[in-house]
Amino acid sequence: MEQTNGQNQYDVIIIGSGPAGLTAAIYSARAQLKTLVFTGREHGGQLMETTLVENFPGFPEGVMGPKLMMDMAEQAKNQGAEMLMKEVTKVDLTAEHKKVYVGDEEYTARVVILAMGSKPRRLEVPGEEELWGRGVSACATCDGAFYKGKVVAVIGGGDSAAEEADFLTKFADKVYMIHRRDELRASKAMQTRVFDNDKVEIVWNAQVREIEGDEKVTGLKLSIKNGDDERVESLPVDGVFLAIGHIPNSMIIDGDVELDEKGFVKVQHHTYTSVPGVFVAGDLHDHEYQQAITAAGMGCMSALDAEKWLAGQAG
Ligand code: NAP
């Protein structure tokens, strides 16, 4: 076990380095709190996989996702935050001094901010991995504008799929919504929106078997059920948007912090979790908005909550 001898002791440890974690770091370090960010094995979160971000305020021409994240990291470092490109393997959040482990290395802090985010659920079919970022995306808001005048498919039947299908018709000439059942999970209001949209065609009872294409997506291989019959057919599309839910990265905190039935961290109020001194920010809690700007906003809130909580402990 590595000795801590004061070196590994912090006021605030932030786990995660997407917009939530890095904004929390900027605020925490700027408040003169000794702050450490565990970035994970890859830093920057989901935006590192995005190209042009056109909806983060302050960038009239848009900004590349990786550039935005590198600048946020630089800003956090300039404020005095330390960064470790390591993946946290275990936590013990119940004691007054919370413990965070990377293998045998132990780090302690009075406050922990959880900002590990979530990852889009994948279909796990051939072509998905190979064509990711080359026609396969999990974010219509990020990538929809690249499909002006094209044909795209949205996979899923929930609110996200319905919202993305409707949104994509601003750009695409035709949007297929591919759903594995014969009724949508989406709310009535969202269903009405897609049913009323002439550019959206729903393909019912259809499972994606393969995403086709070499350099970029050219189509989908679908297996479509009709009663007892099942047929496999190819559907030509230029882009595929996955909207089959997100999986929160809450594995290492399961059992320490209260989670909802899907594994997202519950808040008591604002960014306070069920454990005193442990706060949450971004997609690890919020599966509704899932935007860089909302994650950054919650990161700011979590650091301000942490600062206030620490001041209360001192008094
Ligand atoms: P969701 O409600 O969990 O829906 C996921 C959809 O993907 C379901 O239709 C599911 O099919 C399908 N699916 C899951 N795994 C699949 C697989 N392996 N292959 C094919 N299809 C698969 O997720 P969401 O739509 O992202 O919504 C998450 C939460 O955010 C919900 O509470 C939602 O109401 C909320 N939200 C709200 C709004 C809004 O109100 N404007 C917008 C977005 C999200 P089945 O239906 O067959 O299970």
Side-chain angles (χ1 to χ4, degrees), residues 9 19 62 80 87 97 117 120-121 151-152 154 169 187 196 216 245 252 264 288 304 314:
Q9 291 172 1
E87 193 144 312
H97 286 93
R121 182 174 283 124
V151 178
V152 298
V154 176
T169 60
S187 59
D196 288 352
K216 57 188 181 65
I252 55 159
F264 291 90
E288 183 75 38
L304 294 177

Side-chain angles (χ1 to χ4, degrees), residues 6-13 28 32-36 82:
Q7 266 187 342
N8 289 351
Q9 291 172 1
Y10 292 84
D11 295 317
V12 177
I13 286 179
S28 171
Q32 304 296 314
L33 295 168
K34 191 179 176 204
T35 302
L36 173 66
E82 291 175 44

Side-chain angles (χ1 to χ4, degrees), residues 6 9 18 24 30 45 50 54-55 103 113 125 131 160 208 220 222 225 248 270 289 301:
Q9 291 172 1
R30 193 159 184 270
T50 312
E54 291 181 319
N55 53 9
I113 296 177
V125 295
L131 294 165
S160 296
V208 178
L220 287 174
L222 300 176
K225 268 196 176 151
H270 302 309
Y289 298 102
M301 288 161 62

